[in-house]
Each structure stands twice: as C-alpha cells, then as structure tokens.
Amino acid sequence: MKYALVTGGSRGIGRAVAIRLSQAGIPVVINYVQNETAATETKAEIEKAGGQAELLRFDVSQPEEIEQAINAWEDAHPDDFIGVLVNNAGIRRDNLMIFMQNDEWQKVLDTTLNGFFYTTRRLLKRMMTKRDGRIVNISSLSGLKGLPGQVNYSASKSALIGATKALAQEVAPRKITVNAVAPGFVESDMTKDLNESELKRLVPVGRFGKPEEVAALVAFLAGEEAAYITGQVIGINGGMY
C-alpha cells in the first residue's frame, strides 16, 4: 500500500493537507516534533471520517532521528512504502538582517531546507525502486519575491524552489514528480502574529487564503492526474506578485 508522509502535519497547512490526502483514500503518516496533542487531534479527525492515519515523531532537521523513525516505520510496514511526500515543515524567525542572530538564520534553514534534503533523500530510493512517487514541497510567496524582515525565510523557501526544479529532472525517468506550492498569506499558526487587516489590503482578492485551498492543490499534485506536471512552482496567493 502507498502511504503519504506530511512533515509538520499536526497544524495549519500540514494538517489540512493530511486530511485532504486521507479524503483521497491515501493512508497518511503525520509527522510532528513537539505538539503531540495537535497531531493526535488531526489523526482522530481523519479516522472519524473513515480515513487511515498514523503518527511519526521526528525532527526534520536531525538526520539521525529521521533514519530511526522511518526505519521503524518500514519495519512495521514490510509490504508498504511512502510514495507521497509533502515537505511542509518550516518555521519563521523574522528579523531585519542587521539584527538577525546566527540561530535565527540557522534554525530556519535547518528546518525548511535541510529538512527537505534529509527527509527526501531517505525516502527517494524506495520511490525509485517502485518507479512511483510524488514529492510536493511547500515553498512560499516569500521565496518567490522576497519579503523584508524574512531574509532567512525567503532564502530557505527560494532554495527549496531551486532544489525542486533540479530534483524533478533527476527523478523524472523513474516516474517520480517533484513540484512546489508557494502560498501567500494563509490563515495558520505561521501567520497568526501578522496584522491580517492591514496585509489583506495587499491581496487582490482581499483576503487571506485558507489551508484547505492549499491542501486541494497539493492533493491534485499528489494524484495520478498530475503525472505530467513536474519541476513546477505553483503560486496560491490571491493574485499577489
């Protein structure tokens, strides 16, 4: 059976993606690092609707934790494989660059960029052997245009776009697609500290997006109908450029 792994799947966009993929009939592995309560609630919601979900705790910035967690999962699922990977885990540590501390830079890149590398590398061999895989990386409007106060975040999300385009070409012969989704302002824990009333004036459609809207796009890219779409970056931002 083919499973989907959603990193940072307990809240916000990750939670919506996990729920949406389960609605498409894909068993979901919900990764989390700290908030077990939120992860458990997401799992319960999926199961209540008749879907299948499991929890898998590891820190995407720690390759040893990834190895241990996925080794254990594969040992428990000898006949299954993770054929859909949504690299959603990310953090913000906003600051003007002149004031930015080393750890504010490093932690953001470790989670978003290194997390993509460690997790994807670990799962890629099985996808290539099966000649089947969908990888969707959650980038950001910040990675497309850059936003002041987010040099670290913009750098990590922009690098993720470059990695998406390169990896897509490497694995296309094995029927694996790699795409990126770049949300703008979306209602989530990541944006709850932002001034929505002010910022939504910058959005042509006049509102923040909903996590479920991003999840619908991710689910399409993870499906069979998207087999000819790879190496693409799709913005979902209410018309912001």
Side-chain angles (χ1 to χ4, degrees):
M1 186 177 292
K2 181 165 70 174
Y3 281 70
L5 170 63
V6 182
T7 67
S10 64
R11 296 179 295 173
I13 290 174
R15 178 180 183 274
V17 168
I19 292 171
R20 183 65 180 79
L21 289 175
S22 73
Q23 291 171 346
I26 305 173
V28 178
V29 180
I30 301 165
N31 160 255
Y32 70 100
V33 65
Q34 288 182 329
N35 198 332
E36 185 173 358
T37 299
T40 301
E41 289 172 354
T42 301
K43 177 177 180 289
E45 182 168 344
I46 289 172
E47 292 174 338
K48 183 178 179 180
Q52 184 177 342
E54 302 176 16
L55 302 184
L56 195 63
R57 184 192 179 282
F58 61 81
D59 184 340
V60 297
S61 70
Q62 302 298 320
E64 299 83 5
E65 287 191 24
I66 295 170
E67 288 290 332
Q68 291 173 5
I70 294 179
N71 284 346
W73 186 89
E74 289 180 344
D75 288 344
H77 297 78
D79 299 322
D80 305 320
F81 83 110
I82 294 172
V84 176
L85 171 60
V86 182
N87 287 300
N88 169 73
I91 59 172
R92 282 177 42 222
R93 294 290 185 271
D94 294 356
N95 207 345
L96 296 176
M97 185 168 177
I98 193 171
F99 302 122
M100 188 171 290
Q101 302 300 304
N102 290 352
D103 69 310
E104 291 175 326
W105 171 267
Q106 197 63 53
K107 286 180 179 178
V108 169
L109 266 71
D110 279 346
T111 302
T112 297
L113 187 58
N114 292 345
F116 150 80
F117 171 69
Y118 297 139
T119 308
T120 305
R121 182 183 61 178
R122 175 60 182 79
L123 295 173
L124 204 52
K125 184 176 180 181
R126 199 78 177 269
M127 290 184 188
M128 294 183 75
T129 301
K130 295 283 188 178
R131 299 181 70 88
D132 182 10
R134 296 283 186 272
I135 300 169
V136 183
N137 300 319
I138 306 299
S139 182
S140 170
L141 176 68
S142 186
L144 290 172
K145 69 184 294 291
L147 292 174
Q150 290 191 338
V151 171
N152 49 1
Y153 192 71
S154 292
S156 68
K157 293 295 190 179
S158 181
L160 192 58
I161 288 172
T164 296
K165 292 173 178 285
L167 181 60
Q169 296 174 68
E170 292 182 6
V171 300
R174 292 283 180 167
K175 299 183 179 179
I176 300 167
T177 65
V178 189
N179 293 289
V181 172
F185 295 119
V186 174
E187 297 171 357
S188 71
D189 290 345
M190 288 276 281
T191 59
K192 66 182 180 181
D193 61 329
L194 301 180
N195 189 331
E196 182 173 347
S197 61
E198 286 289 328
L199 290 173
K200 71 181 182 181
R201 297 177 185 176
L202 304 175
V203 184
V205 303
R207 65 173 176 86
F208 276 24
K210 299 182 183 303
E212 293 77 13
E213 293 172 314
V214 180
L217 175 56
V218 173
F220 171 72
L221 292 172
E224 291 302 317
E225 293 179 324
Y228 200 57
I229 301 173
T230 195
Q232 303 305 304
V233 182
I234 304 175
I236 179 164
N237 53 42
M240 292 186 71
Y241 294 98

